[in-house]
Amino acid sequence: MKRSKAYRAAAEMLGDHGQRGVGAGSFRHLFPAYVKKHPEIYQNGQIFWDHAHNDWLQIPIELGLTGCLILLSGAGFVIVFLWRHRRGW
């Protein structure tokens, strides 16, 4: 239950910072500002959220649109390279 509310807070963060990102590794520094809006998971600052527990949310928050496009193009390059060379596994 707490994680689903943390996902909602992370989705708010993605909406605010999805274009440019917050920087790799910076999620844990900015997320407490979003957690404060959800008192169920904030608990007066007793719980510290290091990461979103959902990579599909955290990666775009940290890297932004450009960083995600770079990752996807790198993965696409590897897939095309392996397909063209069809080397044995």
Side-chain angles (χ1 to χ4, degrees):
M1 177 134 148
K2 288 183 182 180
R3 284 194 181 182
S4 65
K5 295 188 183 196
Y7 294 159
R8 279 192 223 127
E12 291 175 20
M13 192 174 173
L14 178 63
D16 292 344
H17 300 283
Q19 288 288 342
R20 299 188 64 203
V22 295
S26 297
F27 176 84
R28 66 187 205 149
H29 300 292
L30 189 60
F31 192 59
Y34 289 88
V35 172
K36 286 180 184 177
K37 298 175 187 175
H38 302 272
E40 312 86 29
I41 58 175
Y42 181 57
Q43 296 182 359
N44 295 325
Q46 294 176 357
I47 296 178
F48 183 74
W49 295 87
D50 246 355
H51 42 86
H53 299 284
N54 185 342
D55 290 337
W56 297 108
L57 267 176
Q58 188 167 341
I59 291 172
I61 289 170
E62 289 186 349
L63 301 181
L65 183 61
T66 305
C68 288
L69 289 175
I70 290 171
L71 283 177
L72 288 174
S73 64
F77 174 79
V78 169
I79 290 170
V80 168
F81 178 81
L82 292 174
W83 180 260
R84 285 186 180 173
H85 290 87
R86 296 188 188 165
R87 297 188 181 209
W89 303 99

